[in-house]
Amino acid sequence: MPEAEAALRTLAHNVRAARTRAGLSLDELGRRAKVSKGALVGLEKAQGNPNFATLIRLADTLGVSVSALLEGAAEGRVRVVSADAVMPLWAGERGSQARLMLTTSGPAPVEIWRWVLEPDEEYPSHPHQAGVVETVSVTAGRMILTVDGTEHPVEAGQTATFDGDAPHTYRGAGTGTCHLIMTVHIPPAPGSPA
């Protein structure tokens, strides 16, 4: 488990650094992100195992991307990432999964995700911070995107975009596996250069 321990240490460092940059105490970050202070203390000590939803709430509250919390120092001008080199951040009971492939750098980063949705399996996402925009491009199969209670079928070859500050759910539809690429466009953090 040395790889998992290293990843947890990187996460701990990045959460602590982002919290410090934001000028938030553990109590205030916990209140805003709806995460217990005890869980945050453990996380900043590289202990525990935060779930996907907790990582999203922390990233949203800190005004950073999920991968900004997970990645180490940048390695160079070009990054090439293979899907099999990235562990899923979410896995469903029927085989669905979501992998955060990478996040672009700069004041308004973009997360690039690969999703696999099995028929009738879904992932409900909590609303993100204001200004987050998501785009889903279905490359194979079919999905139902539900935003603020309204269902939108999206099929292979189609792309949908929406404001991520509303409740939303991704669900596999039809009889085959749905493959999609998702981008999450994160607004610049307050005080960032435009």
Side-chain angles (χ1 to χ4, degrees):
M1 280 288 195
E3 197 172 294
E5 290 171 8
L8 193 54
R9 281 193 304 275
T10 298
L11 175 63
H13 174 268
N14 292 343
V15 168
R16 187 173 37 259
R19 180 178 63 77
T20 301
R21 276 193 310 275
L24 297 175
S25 67
L26 284 167
D27 287 325
E28 185 61 15
L29 176 58
R31 186 186 66 73
R32 291 183 186 184
K34 297 180 176 77
V35 176
S36 74
K37 181 179 178 181
L40 287 173
V41 168
L43 180 59
E44 288 193 5
K45 290 182 176 180
Q47 300 168 346
N49 186 17
N51 65 30
F52 184 42
T54 298
L55 292 176
I56 291 173
R57 286 195 309 272
L58 287 171
D60 281 350
T61 302
L62 293 166
V64 300
S65 66
V66 173
S67 62
L69 297 179
L70 298 172
E71 292 179 349
E75 296 174 9
R77 291 179 60 124
V78 176
R79 282 185 292 161
V80 177
V81 181
S82 176
D84 59 355
V86 178
M87 294 297 296
L89 287 179
W90 171 76
E93 293 179 6
R94 297 181 185 162
S96 298
Q97 56 183 237
R99 294 173 192 262
L100 177 57
M101 300 304 297
L102 60 84
T103 301
T104 62
S105 58
V110 177
E111 296 177 347
I112 313 297
W113 292 81
R114 280 186 183 267
W115 283 73
V116 174
L117 293 170
E118 295 300 332
D120 296 320
E121 190 158 40
E122 67 180 29
Y123 178 80
S125 179
H126 77 286
H128 300 291
Q129 65 180 333
V132 170
V133 175
E134 291 195 22
T135 301
V136 292
S137 294
V138 176
T139 59
R142 184 171 184 260
M143 71 174 289
I144 301 294
L145 171 65
T146 304
V147 179
D148 215 10
T150 302
E151 291 188 352
H152 306 273
V154 186
E155 299 184 14
Q158 294 182 322
T159 299
T161 189
F162 62 96
D163 293 333
D165 60 354
H168 49 283
T169 301
Y170 323 104
R171 184 176 77 238
T175 58
T177 301
C178 176
H179 295 265
L180 63 105
I181 303 295
M182 175 198 300
T183 59
V184 180
H185 304 259
I186 301 164
S192 293

